[in-house]
């Protein structure tokens, strides 16, 4: 457990609680039992069934806070098939993000359909974009012409992350509609999963890994300007494992260097459009951090922003 002790001389004022204790409880059934007995005061909910259960129970309060996070599907650019932009485009046109949200998460209470590499909490988020639109016939044509229908794709995900298994299964079903076969594999060890996902640029050197074609991952938005993500996306090592066009790199540099706010916003909104035109990732979900708390626990939504519990002094227990 992680224990936070109250510091009475805190400049922002004395907290209402003596301690805040964060318990590590991987087992979901154990979490629920602990919540019901009062051993813990709140827990995260990641399934629609659990969300509906606690919303209907007057003994609990449900809070939902935008997580400032993007869950996306990556193309392993080390695999030759993805060097053909039509192959990446075929996958993006085959998928239906609304069905991914409904089947993988349960509803938009848990996650919103993602439109681009930013989350709505980013500065300069382009809310006028529609994102990728499903077009099965076009996707079929591109899949056949690019050779996607001649191979079996390997799709990996990290089992400890919620909603990833369900998402992978829906992608598998949707790609089957265009004649593309997908093997889905869940990896339980974080090091193993990340070792595959970031093999092309992990540790400052390139490692060849073509054992997988697709992977689901998530990233935060750093609660800030997209410039904070630039080093993550545009380095030469990144481009070994993930496609990034010269146009996107140039636009990102111009946007990050723009001093005028209006010009900066204009360029970043153009960047989000250009990024989608690269078909370098498939944006899936902008997740919400949904919590269920015992009725007496208050203040969990005081800030209504991420990260969750940014200010622990806002939390209190009503006797």
């Amino acid at each position: 457990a992680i224990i936070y002790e109250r510091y009475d001389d805190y400049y922002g004022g004395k907290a209402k609680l003596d301690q805040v204790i964060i318990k590590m409880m991987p087992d979901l059934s154990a979490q629920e039992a602990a919540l019901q007995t009062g051993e813990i005061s709140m827990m995260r909910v990641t399934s629609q069934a659990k969300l509906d259960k606690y919303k209907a129970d007057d003994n609990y309060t449900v809070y939902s806070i935008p997580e400032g996070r993007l869950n996306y599907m990556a193309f392993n650019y080390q695999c030759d098939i993805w060097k053909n932009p039509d192959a990446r485009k075929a996958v993006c046109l085959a998928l239906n993000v609304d069905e991914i949200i409904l089947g993988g998460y349960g509803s938009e209470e848990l996650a919103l359909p993602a439109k681009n590499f930013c989350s709505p909490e980013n500065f300069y988020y382009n809310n006028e974009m529609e994102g990728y639109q499903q077009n099965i016939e076009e996707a079929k044509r591109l899949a056949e012409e690019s050779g996607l229908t001649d191979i079996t794709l390997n799709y990996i995900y990290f089992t400890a992350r919620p909603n990833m298994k369900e998402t992978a299964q829906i992608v598998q079903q949707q790609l089957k509609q265009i004649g593309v076969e997908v093997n889905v594999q869940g990896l339980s060890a974080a090091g193993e999963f990340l070792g595959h996902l970031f093999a092309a640029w992990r540790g400052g050197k390139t490692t060849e890994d073509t054992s997988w074609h697709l992977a689901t991952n998530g990233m935060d938005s750093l609660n800030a300007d997209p410039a904070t993500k630039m080093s993550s996306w545009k380095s030469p090592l990144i481009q070994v494992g993930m496609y990034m066009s010269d146009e996107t790199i140039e636009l990102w540099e111009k946007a990050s260097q723009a001093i005028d706010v209006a010009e900066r916003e204009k360029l970043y909104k153009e960047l989000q459009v250009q990024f989608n035109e690269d078909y370098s990732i498939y944006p899936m979900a902008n997740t919400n951090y949904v919590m269920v708390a015992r009725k007496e626990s208050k203040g969990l939504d005081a800030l209504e922003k991420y990260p969750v519990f940014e200010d622990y002094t806002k939390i209190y227990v009503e006797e």
Side-chain angles (χ1 to χ4, degrees), residues 25-173:
M25 304 178 71
D27 185 85
L28 298 181
S29 298
Q31 286 182 27
E32 281 207 271
L35 182 71
Q36 291 164 9
T37 62
E39 179 186 346
I40 62 175
S41 302
M42 61 79 60
M43 70 176 189
R44 184 176 186 180
V45 172
T46 59
S47 77
Q48 191 66 39
K50 292 288 174 61
L51 175 58
D52 292 341
K53 169 186 173 181
Y54 286 106
K55 282 174 65 177
D57 192 328
D58 291 337
N59 293 309
Y60 301 94
T61 305
V62 173
Y63 300 92
S64 179
I65 300 175
E67 200 174 9
R69 188 172 180 83
L70 169 72
N71 286 345
Y72 65 95
M73 188 176 70
F75 298 99
N76 182 3
Y77 199 59
Q78 291 199 70
C79 297
D80 288 340
I81 189 66
W82 303 131
K83 299 289 193 294
N84 185 341
D86 284 346
R88 303 194 306 272
K89 184 176 180 179
V91 171
C92 291
L93 295 184
L95 302 183
N96 184 311
V97 71
D98 294 319
E99 291 178 2
I100 290 172
I101 295 299
L102 182 61
Y105 295 83
S107 76
E108 292 190 8
E109 291 180 278
L110 289 161
L112 296 174
K115 299 177 180 179
N116 57 63
F117 77 95
C118 288
S119 68
E121 290 69 44
N122 266 117
F123 292 157
Y124 319 123
Y125 175 68
N126 191 338
N127 59 6
E128 297 177 357
M129 290 181 63
E130 291 186 344
Y132 293 123
Q133 301 297 303
Q134 187 181 48
N135 185 330
I136 294 295
E137 292 308 311
E138 179 70 359
K140 279 182 180 178
R141 182 183 68 80
L142 293 172
E144 291 172 1
E145 292 178 358
S146 65
L148 266 182
T149 53
D150 298 328
I151 65 174
T152 298
L153 302 180
N154 295 318
Y155 187 131
I156 61 173
Y157 68 92
F158 182 29
T159 58
R161 287 183 176 164
N163 312 108
M164 293 298 182
K165 177 181 179 181
E166 295 82 358
T167 296
Q169 291 172 336
I170 293 170
V171 170
Q172 182 185 46
Q173 294 168 8

Side-chain angles (χ1 to χ4, degrees), residues 225-282:
D225 192 302
T228 59
K229 282 294 182 187
M230 190 168 71
S231 60
S232 300
W233 286 102
K234 64 174 284 292
S235 74
L237 283 173
I238 297 292
Q239 294 166 55
V240 173
M242 187 175 294
Y243 177 72
M244 190 74 61
S245 69
D246 292 339
E247 293 83 0
T248 291
I249 294 170
E250 181 181 358
L251 194 52
W252 210 323
E253 289 175 344
K254 285 182 179 179
S256 66
Q257 294 167 12
I259 297 174
D260 180 76
V261 174
E263 177 68 8
R264 195 176 181 87
E265 180 175 6
K266 174 179 175 291
L267 290 170
Y268 271 127
K269 286 187 174 181
E270 289 178 8
L271 170 62
Q272 290 163 66
V273 174
Q274 175 62 48
F275 202 103
N276 273 23
E277 290 179 357
D278 286 348
Y279 298 100
S280 58
I281 64 170
Y282 185 87

Side-chain angles (χ1 to χ4, degrees), residues 177-212:
Q177 295 180 66
I178 65 166
V180 176
E181 295 295 325
V182 179
N183 282 334
V184 173
Q185 181 184 11
L187 301 176
S188 58
E192 183 182 8
F193 173 74
L194 296 174
H196 284 299
L197 183 67
F198 299 127
W201 59 89
R202 204 175 189 197
K205 63 180 182 179
T206 300
T207 302
E208 185 177 354
D209 184 355
T210 57
S211 63
W212 63 279

